[in-house]
Amino acid sequence: MTALVTGRPRFGRGPLTMVWRPRLVAANVVLAAVVLVLFCLNVGRGDYPISVGGVLEVLAGGGTDVEYFIVWDLRMPRSLVGVIVGLGLGISGAITQSITRNPLASPDILGITAGASAGAVVVIIFGAPTLLGVTLGVPAAALLGGLLTAAAIYVLAWRRGVEGFRLILIGIAVNSILGALTTWMLVVGEIWDVQKATVWLNGSLHGREWSHVWPAAIAVGVVGVVALASSFPLSALRLGEDTARALGVRVQLSQAVLLIASVLLAAMCVTAAGPIGFVAFVAPQLTVRLVGTAGPPMLASGLMGAALVVGSDYVARVILPIELPVGIVTTAIGGPFLMYLIIRTNRRLAR
Amino acid sequence: MTVHQITAAGLRLAYGDRVVVDDLTTTIPAGQVTTIIGPNGCGKSTFLRAIARLLKPKAGEVLLDGKAITSMRTRDVARVLGMLPQSPTAPEGLTVADLVAKGRHPHQSWLRQWSRDDEAEVDVALRLTGMQALAGRPVDELSGGQRQRAWISMALAQETDVLLLDEPTTYLDLAHQVEVLDLVDKLHADLGRTIVMVLHDLNLAARYSDHLIVMRDGKVVTSGPPADVIDAELLRDVFGLESQVLVDPVSHQPLIIPVGTRRAADPEGDVPAGADGRVRLEKASAR
């Protein structure tokens, strides 16, 4: 394909026109394939091992009745929740990082995940409160916690628009406060509840069933599609608020829709699997480096997130001597990556 | 390209409670280069932001062809007015071509992200600004002058009749300032764009403008062609600067020679050109 403008060959089919970016398309295809393989590996692993090919065969409708039962009824929900949560976290991080133009601005660093966790821990430790005649379960409490935290950060950081750096500083402070609150609850709680809360707080895919899959799939599906549909102004928003407005973007509206979608995605993922640390932060940044674009592309970031979560779950179950919650593995990857990014940002600013 | 008329009527602009511009009324002549000048903090950039609809007036209106700009759709405004904010920053790794293509945003939609028109306009914008050879390079790796040309190229691809530039020469050395202003003048002369900009350098403002708007304390002091507006008295009133205003031998526009309190040659003594400063420097280093 020849390009009139360097690096921007045109792709057109009827009313649809876009820039043909082979690297981005290839990255999406490869990431999707990696997610599928990791998914099959993870499903195949257990007391009755099934090969990747075997899992694929069962998925396609083949295999024995026993294999069908093991794959569909016993093991699939765990890995499927992993894929859904990874997709949601990746997309959520890509949105916040693009809007604030800062790689550090992801739901886990801004404290939104911590807010959702605190909400859930309140219910686990103190029992479910009843609001307006409705009993608040752990999922609803996590969702509410995430949304309230996001609203608080937004109000505190608001000064004639959302400025990235201010948002991050306030987010980090809110994150610490919520962390302290959660720790306090773990100290005062009954030991049995505390143990339950601790496992949940590490982010675990253990014991997920189809009843976990459906709400997460529907929620992430709907909000994810809304986010992708409103992604068009995102590339203009990356140039800063003034430039975006001058380019005809309704900045406040676009930012609000995208940020709410991002917060909902992050909170819903916490609801489904606990706070799986650093995925929302790392996935978009790895994707940027893989694809070579200026900002994190949404779909590829989601696929990267899915690969990270399912891959980490596999590592947590297979390679390590004892089975650990997936969140410990993702945090072990994310922590050093955060340090690397901060050091690199400092060097760039020092130049 | 149609000609659009911009008028400010009784404009009052404020950040919170701090009023920066009050009761400002003026007209931007269509198809000309207009420069807003004035001392620091006089509200010139604020006024430009209001024209670009980046700031909502507390009172009064900016009128585009007689219609209040705040009542128009953001997208429609973006097809008539292009704005280059002061020292904009591009995300790390964004190429020049991708930046310039963003200028097409008001003409695009989710489905129609890179049409033949977009492609052609971006190509033209890159050629006009001489950025074609650098189209594949990341913006953050360019020199200051090249970067500014890339941003102007983006505003150009937006295909707007009016181009608003907030201090397009900030942080550039003199040669690159002249290069950028030559480009701006070319856009006006060859493409008939209306240009409104804020500049700090009065001599460059006098040379490159058809129309000057002089502001002080949030009000327009005077406006008109540079030769009619700029004289020693105005510079004393508005900027508190003693000066001599000569005729620029290159452009025949006013040329301002500032007179400070020091380093002025003795008007009585006959000093060979250039010698005075050098002698004093030698004395200083001998001490």
Side-chain angles (χ1 to χ4, degrees):
Chain A
M1 218 172 289
T2 54
L4 182 59
V5 177
T6 312
R8 293 182 64 90
R10 206 175 65 84
F11 172 84
R13 285 285 177 279
L16 173 85
T17 59
M18 54 173 58
V19 182
W20 171 242
R21 295 192 190 274
R23 203 166 149 190
L24 180 60
V25 173
N28 275 314
V29 171
V30 168
L31 281 170
V34 167
V35 170
L36 183 65
V37 169
L38 287 171
F39 175 81
C40 292
L41 265 177
N42 210 26
V43 168
R45 195 246 165 224
D47 292 335
Y48 183 101
I50 306 171
S51 67
V52 171
V55 174
L56 282 172
E57 204 185 320
V58 174
L59 289 180
T64 63
D65 283 356
V66 174
E67 283 175 343
Y68 185 90
F69 173 71
I70 289 173
V71 169
W72 282 94
D73 293 343
L74 295 185
R75 296 191 191 156
M76 188 109 89
R78 177 188 191 125
S79 296
L80 217 46
V81 168
V83 169
I84 293 164
V85 165
L87 271 173
L89 290 176
I91 294 176
S92 172
I95 293 173
T96 45
Q97 291 179 358
S98 295
I99 286 183
T100 56
R101 312 208 281 163
N102 195 317
L104 295 179
S106 69
D108 24 26
I109 290 174
L110 291 181
I112 290 158
T113 321
S117 306
V121 172
V122 166
V123 170
I124 295 174
I125 300 285
F126 298 114
T130 306
L131 283 180
L132 307 167
V134 183
T135 307
L136 208 61
V138 170
L143 201 58
L144 198 64
L147 289 174
L148 284 178
T149 310
I153 297 168
Y154 196 76
V155 169
L156 290 171
W158 174 267
R159 214 164 73 183
R160 272 184 245 136
V162 209
E163 191 248 326
F165 197 58
R166 200 178 152 79
L167 194 72
I168 288 160
L169 289 181
I170 285 175
I172 289 172
V174 168
N175 201 358
S176 313
I177 294 169
L178 289 167
L181 183 68
T182 304
T183 310
W184 174 75
M185 287 190 285
L186 293 182
V187 170
V188 300
E190 297 289 332
I191 189 70
W192 183 248
D193 295 332
V194 170
Q195 199 188 354
K196 238 170 73 187
T198 311
V199 171
W200 190 87
L201 275 174
N202 278 314
S204 175
L205 296 174
H206 184 71
R208 297 299 112 164
E209 292 165 12
W210 281 103
S211 61
H212 294 104
V213 173
W214 290 119
I218 292 167
V220 170
V222 169
V223 181
V225 166
V226 169
L228 286 173
S230 37
S231 65
F232 172 58
L234 206 57
S235 57
L237 283 171
R238 286 196 192 113
L239 299 179
E241 285 187 24
D242 280 358
T243 309
R245 193 167 290 127
L247 289 174
V249 175
R250 281 184 290 173
V251 172
Q252 242 95 65
L253 181 74
S254 306
Q255 273 186 346
V257 169
L258 284 163
L259 281 176
I260 289 171
S262 165
V263 169
L264 280 175
L265 281 173
M268 280 162 178
C269 292
V270 174
T271 305
I276 300 183
F278 286 113
V279 173
F281 159 64
V282 173
Q285 289 303 309
L286 285 180
T287 310
V288 164
R289 281 156 184 76
L290 180 74
V291 180
T293 47
M298 237 188 241
L299 186 60
S301 299
L303 289 169
M304 180 67 88
L308 273 178
V309 172
V310 180
S312 297
D313 191 39
Y314 187 70
V315 169
R317 297 168 70 201
V318 177
I319 296 172
L320 299 175
I322 46 161
E323 181 166 333
L324 289 172
V326 58
I328 291 181
V329 180
T330 58
T331 305
I333 302 170
F337 192 78
L338 174 63
M339 285 186 240
Y340 157 77
L341 258 190
I342 290 174
I343 292 167
R344 203 172 142 276
T345 310
N346 267 343
R347 283 215 188 113
R348 198 156 49 86
L349 291 178
R351 254 196 302 171
Chain B
M1 198 157 280
T2 45
V3 171
H4 292 279
Q5 192 70 49
I6 301 170
T7 320
L11 211 55
R12 182 194 180 92
L13 304 169
Y15 294 110
D17 291 336
R18 197 167 58 89
V19 176
V20 181
V21 168
D22 203 6
D23 198 22
L24 186 150
T25 301
T26 193
T27 300
I28 310 285
Q32 294 193 9
V33 178
T34 297
T35 304
I36 310 168
I37 57 171
N40 289 334
C42 71
K44 50 192 190 298
S45 282
T46 307
F47 176 38
L48 195 74
R49 287 171 62 82
I51 301 176
R53 223 185 77 147
L54 297 180
L55 193 67
K56 203 174 179 253
K58 298 279 176 203
E61 278 293 352
V62 173
L63 303 169
L64 182 63
D65 301 325
K67 249 172 74 182
I69 203 166
T70 44
S71 69
M72 294 174 66
R73 286 175 55 212
T74 314
R75 217 177 150 82
D76 293 339
V77 175
R79 288 179 181 171
V80 179
L81 294 176
M83 164 86 178
L84 195 55
Q86 208 178 114
S87 1
T89 47
E92 202 188 340
L94 189 78
T95 65
V96 171
D98 284 346
L99 174 69
V100 177
K102 288 290 166 293
R104 300 301 298 163
H105 196 275
H107 306 275
Q108 292 170 329
S109 66
W110 207 92
L111 280 178
R112 193 174 168 280
Q113 294 198 19
W114 190 232
S115 67
R116 274 185 212 286
D117 285 354
D118 295 337
E119 209 178 17
E121 283 301 326
V122 168
D123 184 52
V124 167
L126 284 168
R127 275 174 207 276
L128 273 167
T129 50
M131 290 303 286
Q132 222 186 5
L134 298 170
R137 291 266 298 277
V139 178
D140 48 314
E141 286 176 15
L142 301 178
S143 73
Q146 291 169 336
R147 205 175 301 169
Q148 198 57 313
R149 263 160 47 206
W151 280 95
I152 291 175
S153 189
M154 182 203 80
L156 206 55
Q158 204 174 331
E159 252 190 308
T160 56
D161 176 42
V162 183
L163 215 51
L164 309 171
L165 309 167
D166 195 355
E167 296 194 26
T169 56
T170 324
Y171 304 127
L172 298 183
D173 61 45
L174 188 56
H176 285 109
Q177 291 184 31
V178 169
E179 183 191 284
V180 164
L181 291 173
D182 274 343
L183 171 63
V184 169
D185 192 62
K186 186 166 98 175
L187 303 180
H188 152 251
D190 296 359
L191 304 178
R193 309 263 167 130
T194 301
I195 311 247
V196 187
M197 57 184 170
V198 169
L199 283 183
H200 259 298
D201 189 305
L202 298 177
N203 283 322
L204 290 176
R207 175 177 294 188
Y208 283 97
S209 314
D210 303 311
H211 185 83
L212 288 180
I213 296 177
V214 186
M215 286 180 68
R216 186 188 55 194
D217 298 334
K219 290 195 163 52
V220 171
V221 178
T222 178
S223 61
D228 298 355
V229 166
I230 297 227
D231 56 31
E233 197 187 339
L234 176 102
L235 294 168
R236 191 182 307 120
D237 284 356
V238 173
F239 292 89
L241 175 76
E242 288 300 326
S243 64
Q244 291 186 21
V245 177
L246 313 179
V247 174
D248 178 352
V250 176
S251 66
H252 295 189
Q253 292 293 329
L255 176 70
I256 299 151
I257 311 286
V259 179
T261 54
R262 307 191 40 90
R263 291 274 172 155
D266 181 0
E268 307 291 304
D270 74 326
V271 180
D276 187 46
R278 206 176 308 137
V279 170
R280 253 189 262 165
L281 266 180
E282 276 164 10
K283 271 185 191 161
S285 57
R287 249 187 283 147

